[in-house]
Amino acid sequence: ECVHYPGISTLRIPYCEFGEYVCAQLISRCEKTGNAPGEFVTDCALENTLSLGLPYAHSAKKIVVVGSINIDVTLNVEELPQPGRTVSTSRHSIIPGGKGANQAMGVAKLGWESCLIAKVGNDVDATMAFQALNSEGVNTTGVRRELGSDTGKAYIHVQEDGESMMTLFPGANGTMTAEYVRSMSHLFQNAGYCLLSTGPAPDCVLQAARLSKGHGAQTIFKPSSGVEIPEELYHLTDIFVPNRHAAAKLAPFPEVERQAEYFLEQGVQNVIITLGHRGCYLRTPEQAFWYDAPPVATVDATGAADAFIAALAVYLLQNYSLEDAVEVASH
């Protein structure tokens, strides 16, 4: 039976010619004639180009995520804790989380290449985080263990209606520096989007935004409440995605529409304010859109915005319009 192999592109290795060259070199050195041949040069012609792919720079753009990695300790309670009051729980979970890890795994789950830049501690929790990221296919080349540090922790109380409160222990996330992000500049090659959040220090986020722009990538930035944002970072942000609490803290206006206009005035290109069960509001320089939230029963709102941002970036890279990508990401 005849077996047909695919037309693999191959290059003939000139063993005989190279052997002659080596022998001539040896003879010249032994006899000290001084007439050794020069550099070895030969034709390098492929037999065919059937199995050659596109250059790396022309392949599908990847998504780089710069953010935090935490181990989430989630406690499900009937109502959130109050001062002077004890609440009990019968359900809890311990799983990897953090905005950076959530977004990177969200991108990977949607079948797109994601590359995470972050820090973990030198502990067993770091092993758990690596296992979770690698199992989803996230590129962890940019994730390093920080000796002498613990992996970040998030202690989350989740109420029955899905509302939650969180206490953060930064751990190794707090050791991220602008120099560390700069050392990972090679990971921004062929990036289509860079996803940023205020888990790392502001100078780290700013450095990542500069690298993103330097490599021709778009930036999506999710701020947290009460964090001061450098003016330059506003100008380097293509899509600004605060939730309703962060928007109210950062903009001196109570109305969502006016808050979005304020962020455009600061220099961002587009604004999406996420509003929980009320959906979200998109504001571009030309127009505005309100989106209703999909009709679902809320179980836990933790990480919802990270899932939204991951889907938004993936569908934008699939040439969806911003308006349509927001609709898909909402679902």
Side-chain angles (χ1 to χ4, degrees):
E1 182 180 351
C2 181
V3 178
H4 296 281
Y5 292 99
I8 298 175
S9 304
T10 57
L11 178 70
R12 188 182 67 86
I13 301 175
Y15 291 114
C16 291
E17 293 93 329
F18 186 65
E20 292 174 359
Y21 169 79
V22 172
C23 288
Q25 285 279 2
L26 288 171
I27 291 170
S28 174
R29 293 192 181 191
C30 291
E31 297 182 350
K32 300 181 180 179
T33 59
N35 60 353
E39 293 183 359
F40 178 74
V41 179
T42 186
D43 292 333
C44 293
L46 288 170
E47 294 180 355
N48 64 73
T49 58
L50 296 177
S51 62
L52 292 187
L54 288 171
Y56 178 67
H58 291 191
S59 60
K61 300 289 186 181
K62 66 184 175 184
I63 295 174
V64 176
V65 183
V66 181
S68 57
I69 297 177
N70 294 320
I71 298 300
D72 291 352
V73 181
T74 302
L75 305 173
N76 298 88
V77 294
E78 291 184 1
E79 55 183 352
L80 298 178
Q82 301 293 328
R85 190 175 184 181
T86 300
V87 296
S88 344
T89 179
S90 58
R91 290 183 298 146
H92 79 287
S93 63
I94 301 175
I95 58 173
K99 292 184 178 67
N102 288 344
Q103 292 173 9
M105 286 196 282
V107 169
K109 282 175 179 289
L110 289 171
W112 212 264
E113 181 183 0
S114 67
C115 181
L116 178 59
I117 299 175
K119 284 282 191 79
V120 292
N122 189 31
D123 52 14
V124 67
D125 288 335
T127 302
M128 182 194 303
F130 271 116
Q131 288 174 343
L133 292 164
N134 292 329
S135 68
E136 295 296 344
V138 175
N139 182 341
T140 55
T141 305
V143 181
R144 294 284 187 274
R145 291 178 183 261
E146 184 68 22
L147 298 178
S149 291
D150 294 325
T151 301
K153 304 282 193 307
Y155 300 93
I156 308 166
H157 288 80
V158 180
Q159 202 167 251
E160 288 182 340
D161 62 359
E163 284 297 321
S164 61
M165 60 185 296
M166 182 184 304
T167 301
L168 280 176
F169 167 68
N173 296 310
T175 68
M176 282 264 285
T177 63
E179 290 73 21
Y180 177 73
V181 175
R182 194 179 303 116
S183 72
M184 298 293 170
S185 61
H186 59 284
L187 297 178
F188 287 82
Q189 293 177 7
N190 199 45
Y193 276 90
C194 177
L195 310 186
L196 302 170
S197 55
T198 46
D203 60 336
C204 296
V205 180
L206 185 56
Q207 180 62 58
R210 289 169 179 162
L211 288 171
S212 176
K213 286 299 179 183
H215 286 81
Q218 302 276 299
T219 55
I220 301 178
F221 175 39
K222 173 178 170 47
S224 299
S225 301
V227 176
E228 187 174 345
I229 299 174
E231 181 180 349
E232 183 185 355
L233 186 53
Y234 279 120
H235 289 276
L236 293 172
T237 299
D238 293 285
I239 305 176
F240 190 64
V241 192
N243 63 23
R244 63 188 185 277
H245 304 296
K249 289 279 188 180
L250 293 167
F253 303 99
E255 304 87 2
V256 171
E257 297 93 331
R258 190 65 189 93
Q259 291 168 358
E261 289 178 12
Y262 171 81
F263 296 132
L264 289 179
E265 292 165 1
Q266 302 311 300
V268 302
Q269 299 299 308
N270 304 279
V271 181
I272 303 171
I273 300 178
T274 57
L275 303 167
H277 67 276
R278 292 168 50 203
C280 65
Y281 177 72
L282 167 64
R283 184 72 163 85
T284 73
E286 296 80 26
Q287 50 193 337
F289 300 88
W290 286 93
Y291 295 84
D292 292 329
V296 296
T298 304
V299 176
D300 182 358
T302 307
D306 299 325
F308 175 90
I309 289 171
L312 180 69
V314 167
Y315 280 87
L316 285 171
L317 280 177
Q318 295 185 52
N319 296 319
Y320 279 60
S321 68
L322 178 57
E323 295 81 6
D324 290 343
V326 171
E327 181 77 29
V328 174
S330 294
H331 283 82

